[in-house]
Amino acid sequence: MVWLPSRDPRHEDVYSPDIEDKATDRRRWYLNTLTGLNTKEAFDALDRLASDPLLVEHRDTFLFQRDKMVRSSARRPTLSINESIAFLNTLTKSPTTVDEFRALVKRHIIALLEQLHHSDDDESYLFRRGGATEDDLRNWLSGRMREIGKEHYEVIREQEVATENRPDLRIHARRAELGLISVEIKLADKGWTGDVLVDKVKSQLADQYMYENGSHTGYYLLANAARPKKREVHPRTNKVVRPAFSKKVAGKTVDFEGLIKAVTENASTVTAGLSGDKVVEVISVDLSEK
């Protein structure tokens, strides 16, 4: 039996669940179910219903359901309970293993560098204009890490320790069994040569800082804070306005990305030669341009 919308009962303050009402409820259920399919076929079906001359009185209803499907399709998928727990654990869970401690510290460093890179405040401008020093970056990063990670670790800067040959930052886990992480910071655009920057992975991090008790991870932070990624040339005179980042590694001229590649390859080689579960990793950021 076919029941057209035009035959739907129209009454107020009275409900008589006869065949008319049942047909109306059933058709509403079918329409919501069709919209809930969220498929191309269902979308096309709603288009056909909206253009059917026999259903012209309900065209707005079909178009509303069609738009509802479009809005639903544009939403991000909903995470399951297990997926939500796993995601939140990566952000808030206190580390219980060395691997989790490493991941937490690395995630904090990368997030803070992204904040510094993309912010428009004065502290970010200091680096982009080329006036910052390694001490500036070390002090900024240590202060921010203390703010966001104080529940999980303690940050000690180089000048806060009595002995020499210490990394720029030493990250001590609140749980002693999780050990500590060394962070060495270099502004690659300053006076360091390319070969020295590559060698520091072993000569500083591996050969000095990684031998202390509990030291299992070294993060080598390389930042470019004063040069553009590409050389800027005056359009009329063809003179170089600002030289691009340039270093020599093993006799070959490289840009910042090339330097990072060479340092990362060396870090992998150095890590392979370390005993136990010790690792050296490279973290890089180009602060010169947004």
Side-chain angles (χ1 to χ4, degrees):
M1 176 181 179
V2 177
W3 191 275
L4 297 176
S6 58
R7 299 176 61 189
D8 285 352
R10 300 175 183 272
H11 48 228
E12 297 180 0
D13 302 325
V14 176
Y15 180 65
S16 52
D18 53 17
I19 187 171
E20 293 94 339
D21 295 282
K22 291 179 180 179
T24 303
D25 291 340
R26 178 55 59 179
R27 187 173 55 255
R28 185 182 300 111
W29 181 86
Y30 280 128
L31 183 58
N32 288 332
T33 301
L34 177 65
T35 305
L37 293 176
N38 205 19
T39 62
K40 184 179 184 304
E41 291 76 12
F43 185 83
D44 293 340
L46 288 171
D47 270 345
R48 291 195 299 271
L49 289 170
S51 60
D52 192 323
L54 295 177
L55 302 175
V56 65
E57 293 184 19
H58 299 272
R59 182 174 182 271
D60 289 342
T61 299
F62 298 133
L63 292 178
F64 170 78
Q65 294 289 353
R66 177 182 180 274
D67 292 342
K68 181 179 177 182
M69 185 182 296
V70 172
R71 291 194 299 270
S72 177
S73 299
R75 294 172 184 165
R76 295 179 179 178
T78 303
L79 297 178
S80 68
I81 293 178
N82 290 335
E83 289 172 332
S84 300
I85 292 174
F87 173 72
L88 291 174
N89 280 344
T90 64
L91 301 178
T92 59
K93 180 177 179 292
S94 181
T96 57
T97 66
V98 169
D99 286 340
E100 289 179 353
F101 179 48
R102 282 176 180 155
L104 175 71
V105 172
K106 184 177 181 180
R107 187 164 62 246
H108 283 182
I109 293 174
I110 292 175
L112 288 171
L113 292 176
E114 282 293 309
Q115 173 187 327
L116 181 64
H117 183 195
H118 294 289
S119 66
D120 292 320
D121 51 27
D122 292 340
E123 59 190 10
S124 176
Y125 177 68
L126 174 66
F127 291 92
R128 286 199 296 273
R129 74 182 182 184
T133 65
E134 288 177 1
D135 286 344
D136 292 324
L137 184 55
R138 178 188 63 200
N139 295 337
W140 180 88
L141 184 60
S142 64
R144 297 301 179 272
M145 291 186 73
R146 282 171 174 162
E147 292 174 358
I148 67 174
K150 58 185 178 182
E151 296 181 0
H152 309 297
Y153 52 73
E154 180 183 4
V155 182
I156 298 179
R157 293 180 299 175
E158 183 182 43
Q159 67 265 34
E160 294 173 346
V161 297
T163 59
E164 297 180 356
N165 295 326
R166 293 298 184 103
D168 288 309
L169 300 179
R170 179 61 56 82
I171 316 298
H172 292 260
R174 295 293 183 189
R175 299 179 59 168
E177 66 272 19
L178 300 184
L180 52 93
I181 293 175
S182 300
V183 181
E184 183 64 20
I185 300 172
K186 292 285 186 289
L187 287 185
D189 55 282
K190 298 301 181 182
W192 306 103
T193 67
D195 289 327
V196 168
L197 289 171
V198 174
D199 181 67
K200 289 293 184 181
V201 173
K202 185 177 189 304
S203 62
Q204 275 195 306
L205 280 171
D207 291 348
Q208 294 183 37
Y209 310 147
M210 303 293 291
Y211 275 100
E212 293 197 23
N213 292 333
S215 180
H216 51 70
T217 304
Y219 287 135
Y220 191 38
L221 172 54
L222 286 176
N224 174 32
R227 306 290 180 92
K229 292 181 180 179
K230 294 183 179 180
R231 187 175 58 173
E232 294 181 358
V233 180
H234 195 280
R236 292 195 298 272
T237 65
N238 288 328
K239 291 184 177 181
V240 176
V241 179
R242 286 204 304 166
F245 182 96
S246 178
K247 296 284 181 178
K248 281 190 176 294
V249 176
K252 180 181 178 180
T253 301
V254 298
D255 57 10
F256 186 61
E257 292 181 358
L259 174 66
I260 297 305
K261 180 180 178 181
V263 175
T264 301
E265 291 174 351
N266 190 38
S268 298
T269 301
V270 170
T271 297
L274 294 175
S275 59
D277 192 28
K278 297 183 178 182
V279 298
V280 176
E281 292 188 25
V282 179
I283 298 175
S284 64
V285 60
D286 193 335
L287 300 171
S288 64
E289 295 178 334
K290 284 191 176 183

